[in-house]
Short mmCIF file of all heavy atoms in Angstrom, two decimals:
data_model
loop_
_atom_site.label_atom_id
_atom_site.label_comp_id
_atom_site.label_asym_id
_atom_site.label_seq_id
_atom_site.Cartn_x
_atom_site.Cartn_y
_atom_site.Cartn_z
N ASP A 20 70.27 92.93 123.64
CA ASP A 20 70.16 94.04 122.70
C ASP A 20 71.26 94.05 121.63
O ASP A 20 71.26 94.89 120.75
CB ASP A 20 70.16 95.38 123.45
CG ASP A 20 71.38 95.58 124.33
OD1 ASP A 20 71.94 94.59 124.83
OD2 ASP A 20 71.77 96.75 124.54
N ILE A 21 72.15 93.09 121.69
CA ILE A 21 73.19 92.98 120.66
C ILE A 21 72.81 91.80 119.77
O ILE A 21 72.89 90.64 120.16
CB ILE A 21 74.58 92.79 121.29
CG1 ILE A 21 74.92 94.03 122.11
CG2 ILE A 21 75.63 92.55 120.20
CD1 ILE A 21 76.22 93.98 122.82
N ILE A 22 72.37 92.13 118.59
CA ILE A 22 71.90 91.14 117.64
C ILE A 22 73.05 90.76 116.71
O ILE A 22 73.66 91.61 116.07
CB ILE A 22 70.72 91.69 116.78
CG1 ILE A 22 69.64 92.29 117.68
CG2 ILE A 22 70.17 90.60 115.87
CD1 ILE A 22 69.02 91.33 118.66
N LEU A 23 73.34 89.48 116.69
CA LEU A 23 74.41 88.97 115.83
C LEU A 23 73.82 88.13 114.71
O LEU A 23 72.73 87.57 114.86
CB LEU A 23 75.35 88.09 116.65
CG LEU A 23 76.12 88.80 117.77
CD1 LEU A 23 76.85 87.78 118.62
CD2 LEU A 23 77.09 89.80 117.18
N PRO A 24 74.54 88.01 113.60
CA PRO A 24 74.07 87.13 112.53
C PRO A 24 73.91 85.71 113.07
O PRO A 24 74.65 85.29 113.96
CB PRO A 24 75.20 87.19 111.49
CG PRO A 24 75.93 88.45 111.78
CD PRO A 24 75.81 88.67 113.25
N PRO A 25 72.95 84.96 112.54
CA PRO A 25 72.72 83.58 113.02
C PRO A 25 73.99 82.72 113.00
O PRO A 25 74.18 81.90 113.90
CB PRO A 25 71.68 83.04 112.05
CG PRO A 25 70.96 84.24 111.55
CD PRO A 25 71.98 85.34 111.51
N ALA A 26 74.85 82.91 112.01
CA ALA A 26 76.08 82.11 111.94
C ALA A 26 76.98 82.39 113.15
O ALA A 26 77.65 81.49 113.65
CB ALA A 26 76.83 82.40 110.65
N PHE A 27 77.00 83.63 113.64
CA PHE A 27 77.80 83.97 114.82
C PHE A 27 77.20 83.32 116.06
O PHE A 27 77.91 82.83 116.92
CB PHE A 27 77.84 85.48 115.03
CG PHE A 27 78.83 86.21 114.15
CD1 PHE A 27 79.05 85.83 112.83
CD2 PHE A 27 79.53 87.28 114.64
CE1 PHE A 27 79.94 86.50 112.03
CE2 PHE A 27 80.44 87.96 113.85
CZ PHE A 27 80.64 87.58 112.54
N GLN A 28 75.88 83.35 116.16
CA GLN A 28 75.20 82.80 117.33
C GLN A 28 75.36 81.29 117.41
O GLN A 28 75.54 80.74 118.49
CB GLN A 28 73.71 83.15 117.28
CG GLN A 28 73.44 84.63 117.40
CD GLN A 28 71.97 84.97 117.13
OE1 GLN A 28 71.15 84.09 116.90
NE2 GLN A 28 71.65 86.25 117.17
N ALA A 29 75.31 80.63 116.27
CA ALA A 29 75.36 79.17 116.24
C ALA A 29 76.78 78.61 116.24
O ALA A 29 76.98 77.41 116.43
CB ALA A 29 74.61 78.66 115.01
N ALA A 30 77.76 79.47 116.04
CA ALA A 30 79.15 79.01 115.94
C ALA A 30 79.65 78.44 117.26
O ALA A 30 79.19 78.83 118.33
CB ALA A 30 80.04 80.16 115.51
N GLU A 31 80.58 77.52 117.15
CA GLU A 31 81.29 77.04 118.34
C GLU A 31 82.21 78.17 118.79
O GLU A 31 82.79 78.86 117.95
CB GLU A 31 82.12 75.80 118.00
CG GLU A 31 81.29 74.55 117.80
CD GLU A 31 80.60 74.10 119.09
OE1 GLU A 31 81.24 74.14 120.15
OE2 GLU A 31 79.42 73.74 119.01
N PRO A 32 82.37 78.36 120.09
CA PRO A 32 83.31 79.40 120.54
C PRO A 32 84.70 79.14 119.97
O PRO A 32 85.17 78.00 119.95
CB PRO A 32 83.31 79.25 122.06
CG PRO A 32 82.01 78.57 122.38
CD PRO A 32 81.72 77.69 121.20
N THR A 33 85.32 80.18 119.48
CA THR A 33 86.66 80.08 118.91
C THR A 33 87.69 80.37 119.99
O THR A 33 87.61 81.40 120.66
CB THR A 33 86.82 81.10 117.75
OG1 THR A 33 85.83 80.82 116.77
CG2 THR A 33 88.19 81.03 117.14
N ASN A 34 88.66 79.48 120.15
CA ASN A 34 89.71 79.65 121.14
C ASN A 34 90.81 80.54 120.57
O ASN A 34 91.55 80.13 119.67
CB ASN A 34 90.28 78.29 121.53
CG ASN A 34 91.38 78.39 122.56
OD1 ASN A 34 91.66 79.45 123.11
ND2 ASN A 34 92.03 77.27 122.83
N LEU A 35 90.93 81.76 121.09
CA LEU A 35 91.95 82.68 120.61
C LEU A 35 93.36 82.27 121.05
O LEU A 35 94.33 82.76 120.50
CB LEU A 35 91.64 84.10 121.11
CG LEU A 35 90.29 84.67 120.66
CD1 LEU A 35 90.09 86.06 121.24
CD2 LEU A 35 90.16 84.68 119.16
N PHE A 36 93.45 81.36 122.02
CA PHE A 36 94.75 80.87 122.48
C PHE A 36 95.04 79.45 121.96
O PHE A 36 95.81 78.72 122.56
CB PHE A 36 94.81 80.86 124.01
CG PHE A 36 94.99 82.22 124.64
CD1 PHE A 36 94.92 82.36 126.02
CD2 PHE A 36 95.26 83.35 123.90
CE1 PHE A 36 95.11 83.60 126.63
CE2 PHE A 36 95.44 84.59 124.49
CZ PHE A 36 95.37 84.71 125.86
N HIS A 37 94.47 79.08 120.83
CA HIS A 37 94.65 77.73 120.30
C HIS A 37 96.12 77.38 120.06
O HIS A 37 96.52 76.23 120.22
CB HIS A 37 93.83 77.53 119.02
CG HIS A 37 94.32 78.34 117.87
ND1 HIS A 37 93.94 79.65 117.69
CD2 HIS A 37 95.15 78.02 116.85
CE1 HIS A 37 94.52 80.11 116.61
NE2 HIS A 37 95.26 79.16 116.08
N ARG A 38 96.93 78.37 119.72
CA ARG A 38 98.36 78.08 119.47
C ARG A 38 99.07 77.60 120.73
O ARG A 38 100.05 76.86 120.65
CB ARG A 38 99.05 79.28 118.86
CG ARG A 38 99.31 80.40 119.84
CD ARG A 38 100.00 81.60 119.21
NE ARG A 38 100.42 82.55 120.21
CZ ARG A 38 99.62 83.35 120.90
NH1 ARG A 38 98.32 83.30 120.70
NH2 ARG A 38 100.11 84.20 121.79
N LEU A 39 98.56 77.99 121.90
CA LEU A 39 99.19 77.57 123.16
C LEU A 39 98.96 76.08 123.42
O LEU A 39 99.76 75.44 124.10
CB LEU A 39 98.65 78.39 124.34
CG LEU A 39 98.83 79.91 124.24
CD1 LEU A 39 98.28 80.58 125.49
CD2 LEU A 39 100.28 80.28 124.00
N LEU A 40 97.88 75.55 122.87
CA LEU A 40 97.61 74.11 123.00
C LEU A 40 98.60 73.28 122.20
O LEU A 40 98.99 72.19 122.60
CB LEU A 40 96.19 73.79 122.50
CG LEU A 40 95.04 74.22 123.39
CD1 LEU A 40 93.72 74.08 122.63
CD2 LEU A 40 95.02 73.40 124.66
N GLN A 41 99.01 73.83 121.07
CA GLN A 41 99.83 73.08 120.13
C GLN A 41 101.33 73.31 120.32
O GLN A 41 102.14 72.52 119.83
CB GLN A 41 99.44 73.46 118.70
CG GLN A 41 97.99 73.18 118.41
CD GLN A 41 97.49 73.90 117.17
OE1 GLN A 41 98.11 74.85 116.70
NE2 GLN A 41 96.36 73.46 116.66
N ASP A 42 101.70 74.38 121.01
CA ASP A 42 103.10 74.75 121.08
C ASP A 42 103.50 75.01 122.54
O ASP A 42 103.27 76.11 123.06
CB ASP A 42 103.33 75.99 120.22
CG ASP A 42 104.79 76.40 120.13
OD1 ASP A 42 105.63 75.85 120.86
OD2 ASP A 42 105.07 77.30 119.31
N PRO A 43 104.11 74.02 123.21
CA PRO A 43 104.52 74.20 124.61
C PRO A 43 105.47 75.38 124.82
O PRO A 43 105.41 76.06 125.84
CB PRO A 43 105.20 72.88 124.97
CG PRO A 43 104.70 71.90 123.97
CD PRO A 43 104.41 72.67 122.73
N ALA A 44 106.32 75.66 123.85
CA ALA A 44 107.24 76.79 123.98
C ALA A 44 106.48 78.12 123.96
O ALA A 44 106.81 79.04 124.71
CB ALA A 44 108.28 76.75 122.87
N ALA A 45 105.46 78.20 123.12
CA ALA A 45 104.64 79.41 123.06
C ALA A 45 103.87 79.59 124.38
O ALA A 45 103.72 80.72 124.86
CB ALA A 45 103.66 79.34 121.89
N HIS A 46 103.41 78.48 124.95
CA HIS A 46 102.71 78.55 126.24
C HIS A 46 103.65 79.02 127.34
O HIS A 46 103.30 79.90 128.15
CB HIS A 46 102.09 77.20 126.58
CG HIS A 46 101.30 77.22 127.84
ND1 HIS A 46 101.62 76.44 128.93
CD2 HIS A 46 100.21 77.95 128.20
CE1 HIS A 46 100.77 76.69 129.90
NE2 HIS A 46 99.89 77.60 129.48
#
């Protein structure tokens, strides 16, 4: 019942913790 724009549905999931992958100190 939650209709999203096609671009949202087709998008790759976005990693909100991407900075932790790149920065060991941040992790």
Side-chain angles (χ1 to χ4, degrees):
D20 57 330
I21 298 178
I22 309 300
L23 296 172
F27 280 37
Q28 294 171 2
E31 286 294 318
T33 301
N34 180 8
L35 300 179
F36 284 173
H37 67 276
R38 74 181 189 287
L39 302 181
L40 287 169
Q41 301 163 343
D42 185 351
H46 183 241

